[in-house]
Amino acid sequence: MGEFDLIERFFKRPVQRAALGVGDDCALLQPAAGMQLAVSSDMLVEGRHFLSTVDPRALGHKALAVNLSDLAACGAKPLAFTLALALPSADAAWLGPFSEGLLALADAHGCELVGGDTTRGPLNICITVFGEVPRGQALLRSGAQAGDDIYVSGTVGDARLALEVFRGTLAMPQEVFTQARARMEQPTPRVMLGLALRGVATAAADVSDGLLGDLGHVLKASGLGARIEAPAALGLMGCADAPLSPAQRLDFALAGGDDYELVFTAPPSARGQVKGAVAQAQVQVTRIGSTTAAPGVQVVDAQGQPLDQRFGSFDHFG
């Protein structure tokens, strides 16, 4: 199977909203009047971002989900995406479920595949996603104010839990591992929450490299610090069957990464609006602390005492 046969068979589809999709040298997008384009790219490399044993359908889902998560953090509505795909071989048995997982999530969010590239090489997936947001309403990292509440959606640390099982450093009941693996391999992009937070949140970021690491980007851009309460959003780490020490539970939750949840800030006066946005998006959200005028991040326990545990975040070159 050649390159153009591969594209025709697995990835070429008629577009509904784009002016021009797959087939020409460029796609043509037409944002609605008064809208700005939001653009993000993510690359997934085998052995660095996913295991060689991952189900191709789940990988197709995740490849797009991590990009949609960026749009969610910006408060942007998905429009279209391009796919650049390097493959060791044109294997129809792999391409079929990969494209099904990819396009099922794309259809669920009205996000059209409009172009890209394919070549032979080590397995590498690069997606560029396009969204639209009303002019001046994008959620940015730089908008947080001192005294804002800090929230995180869903639960954090579950993907790290699954990764450690794969690494052989942990063992746990099959039911817990199955749930954690699903969180690692098929994350849910919080697009609806991002849309609902426009005009409510002061700043936002998606949690891809660890909660504290990604919150740190918001704090740096906004010139602030933070006080974080040891989070209630521990996910599966709070399960009695997860054999983790208290220090491991905190490390996985605060620095684990691969969660693709949203961390965002909003003033205390907007707590009712945050509650409304959460109800609209139908997702759990937990308040985990507040921003401070003084720089630095302090993590405290349930009694408000500072913890001396150090936390990192994922480094793509580490």
Side-chain angles (χ1 to χ4, degrees), residues 192-220:
M192 291 302 297
L193 179 60
L195 296 176
L197 286 173
R198 289 196 309 222
V200 177
T202 52
D206 91 312
V207 181
S208 55
D209 297 331
L211 175 57
L212 287 188
D214 290 307
L215 172 61
H217 299 317
V218 171
L219 299 176
K220 181 178 180 180

Side-chain angles (χ1 to χ4, degrees), residues 273-296:
Q273 292 172 280
V274 170
K275 185 176 181 180
V278 168
Q280 184 178 336
Q282 297 183 327
V283 60
Q284 171 189 334
V285 164
T286 305
R287 191 178 70 82
I288 60 169
S290 58
T291 59
T292 61

Side-chain angles (χ1 to χ4, degrees), residues 47-134:
R48 186 62 175 167
H49 301 102
F50 62 91
L51 303 173
S52 60
T53 55
V54 67
D55 176 79
R57 183 174 282 99
L59 182 58
H61 171 102
K62 184 172 183 176
L64 182 58
V66 302
N67 285 270
L68 293 178
S69 183
D70 286 329
L71 290 186
C74 191
K77 180 180 178 180
L79 286 178
F81 70 102
T82 61
L83 169 68
L85 186 61
L87 296 165
S89 64
D91 179 5
W94 187 92
L95 282 162
F98 173 83
S99 64
E100 289 169 7
L102 176 82
L103 296 175
L105 185 63
D107 289 345
H109 290 279
C111 193
E112 301 181 319
L113 176 57
V114 296
D117 191 24
T118 59
T119 189
R120 183 184 296 274
L123 184 54
N124 188 327
I125 306 156
C126 184
I127 285 178
T128 297
V129 72
F130 305 88
E132 63 179 9
V133 60

Side-chain angles (χ1 to χ4, degrees), residues 213-266:
D214 290 307
L215 172 61
H217 299 317
V218 171
L219 299 176
K220 181 178 180 180
S222 298
L224 300 171
R227 174 185 166 93
I228 301 297
E229 301 157 10
L234 289 178
L236 295 172
M237 273 83 61
C239 173
D241 291 331
L244 301 174
S245 68
Q248 283 178 311
R249 292 174 193 269
L250 273 181
D251 182 58
F252 286 15
L254 296 178
D258 235 15
D259 298 300
Y260 300 101
E261 297 293 348
L262 295 187
V263 58
F264 63 94
T265 58

